Amino acid sequence: MNEHNYTYHDDNFSLDKTEDYTLLIQVEDKSFSYAISNNGSLIAWAENYPFDELSDPQELLDLLSAKYKQIVIGLPAHSFTLVPAELFTADRLPKFARFLDVKPDSKVLAQTLDPENIIVYKTNEAIVNAAEEFGIQNTVFTSKGWLAAIARNNAGNDDLYLNIEKDKLEICYFASGKLRFYNSFEFKETDELAYFTVLVAKELNLEPKNTSLYLSGDLEADDEILSRLAEFFAKAEVNNLEVLQLPAEVVAHRVLSIAALSLCVL
C-alpha cells in the first residue's frame, strides 16, 4: 500500500534529537506504520508505508537509521496460541508450535503477553529478518501494548474491546482485571464483523443488551460499523483511551494500538 492515510509531525520534531525519542513500529504483512514519542507525548506518526521501506529504507532512511533512546517493534501473528505462564518452558515450544501449522517461510516466537500468559505465534520469516535490523530483543507481539492499555484502564466485566485494522478484527475481554478472552478474525464486510462480535459475546455468556463495545483502529466516530453493532449491543463507541499525550489533530482511537507499544518498553 503506497497511500499514507495519516501523517503527523510536531513542529519541534527533529532527527537531531532522536536519542531522546522512542520509536514505535507496527508491522503488517505488506506494510508498516511508525510513531515517535518524547516524554510521553506523540510527536510523529505515519501509516501504511510499504514493507520494502522497512527492509530497505529509501524515503525513511534517515528516520529509521537514527539512534533512538528506545525502540519497540510490534510483529503480526498469522496464527497464535496462549499458554499459561506456569506451563510454559522453552523446551516445550516445538510442541506448542504444532498447533500453528508452521510453513517453511514461518518463524515461531514465544513472548510474555501478561503476567499469566505466554503467546506463541507464527509470523513471516521476512518480517522477522527486517525486525532484526532494529534488534530482535526489541520485538513484541503487536497487540501486547493494546491489551496492556485496556488492562490498566480497569475494563468492566460487561465490556468488549475491539480493534480494527484493514480486514482484521481483534476482540478481547477482561473480567476481574484479568484477560479472559483474546482472538482475531478476518472479515470482509460489516455484517461479518458484527457476526464475529455477537459470536464472541455468546461464547463468553455475555448478554448483548447489557454489553458495551469500545472500538479502536481503522474507523471513524460516525462509522457504519458502530451503528451496525449498536443494533445488537447496549453501546458501541470509539475508545478514547489515551496512552500518550496527543495533539488535537490526532484522535485517540486511531493511534491506540501503535501508541500502546510504548507500554512495552523494556
Side-chain angles (χ1 to χ4, degrees), residues 4-17:
H4 306 162
N5 293 341
Y6 295 90
T7 300
Y8 167 77
H9 281 79
D10 186 273
D11 291 340
N12 294 320
F13 172 80
S14 171
L15 287 175
D16 294 329
K17 302 177 182 178

Side-chain angles (χ1 to χ4, degrees), residues 47-115:
E47 286 193 318
N48 294 328
Y49 277 91
F51 178 75
D52 289 347
E53 185 65 20
L54 183 65
S55 56
D56 183 22
Q58 303 295 322
E59 181 181 347
L60 298 179
L61 178 61
D62 291 342
L63 186 144
L64 293 178
S65 61
K67 184 177 181 180
Y68 290 87
K69 180 180 179 181
Q70 297 155 324
I71 300 175
V72 182
I73 305 103
L75 302 182
H78 298 148
S79 58
F80 64 87
T81 184
L82 296 185
V83 181
E86 60 188 16
L87 299 180
F88 181 83
T89 57
D91 61 298
R92 292 180 177 175
L93 180 57
K95 295 182 179 179
F96 294 125
R98 293 176 184 173
F99 294 102
L100 306 182
D101 188 25
V102 178
K103 304 296 184 182
D105 62 348
S106 299
K107 284 281 190 178
V108 176
L109 302 173
Q111 296 169 342
T112 299
L113 187 65
D114 61 27

Side-chain angles (χ1 to χ4, degrees), residues 30-48:
K30 297 180 180 179
S31 64
F32 72 97
S33 302
Y34 73 82
I36 298 175
S37 67
N38 182 35
N39 293 324
S41 297
L42 182 74
I43 58 172
W45 169 50
E47 286 193 318
N48 294 328

Side-chain angles (χ1 to χ4, degrees), residues 52-239:
D52 289 347
E53 185 65 20
L54 183 65
S55 56
D56 183 22
Q58 303 295 322
E59 181 181 347
L60 298 179
L61 178 61
D62 291 342
L63 186 144
L64 293 178
S65 61
K67 184 177 181 180
Y68 290 87
K69 180 180 179 181
Q70 297 155 324
I71 300 175
V72 182
I73 305 103
L75 302 182
H78 298 148
S79 58
F80 64 87
T81 184
L82 296 185
V83 181
E86 60 188 16
L87 299 180
F88 181 83
T89 57
D91 61 298
R92 292 180 177 175
L93 180 57
K95 295 182 179 179
F96 294 125
R98 293 176 184 173
F99 294 102
L100 306 182
D101 188 25
V102 178
K103 304 296 184 182
D105 62 348
S106 299
K107 284 281 190 178
V108 176
L109 302 173
Q111 296 169 342
T112 299
L113 187 65
D114 61 27
E116 297 188 349
N117 295 288
I118 302 294
I119 185 165
V120 179
Y121 65 102
K122 176 184 72 173
T123 193
N124 188 277
E125 184 176 22
I127 290 175
V128 176
N129 290 342
E132 285 180 338
E133 295 295 323
F134 301 90
I136 196 67
Q137 74 277 7
N138 295 319
T139 64
V140 297
F141 170 60
T142 192
S143 295
K144 178 177 180 177
W146 178 66
L147 293 168
I150 295 169
R152 287 170 40 149
N153 198 45
N154 300 317
N157 292 351
D158 293 315
D159 299 336
L160 282 179
Y161 291 82
L162 283 63
N163 188 61
I164 300 168
E165 300 296 344
K166 299 184 176 67
D167 57 356
K168 179 182 177 183
L169 165 68
E170 299 175 276
I171 305 179
C172 70
Y173 172 69
F174 287 78
S176 301
K178 296 183 178 181
L179 180 66
R180 300 300 185 186
F181 178 91
Y182 169 74
N183 208 345
S184 64
F185 309 87
E186 292 185 359
F187 71 96
K188 296 181 179 179
E189 56 186 14
T190 300
D191 283 349
E192 194 172 10
L193 182 150
Y195 167 79
F196 286 128
T197 308
V198 172
L199 186 67
V200 167
K202 289 183 177 180
E203 182 176 333
L204 295 171
N205 293 318
L206 296 175
E207 181 61 47
K209 66 180 181 181
N210 298 324
T211 303
S212 297
L213 306 181
Y214 298 93
L215 287 76
S216 57
D218 189 10
L219 75 162
E220 305 298 334
D222 58 351
D223 204 287
E224 173 194 2
I225 290 173
L226 293 168
S227 57
R228 186 65 172 134
L229 290 171
E231 296 177 18
F232 303 96
F233 293 90
K235 180 169 61 175
E237 61 183 39
V238 295
N239 189 343

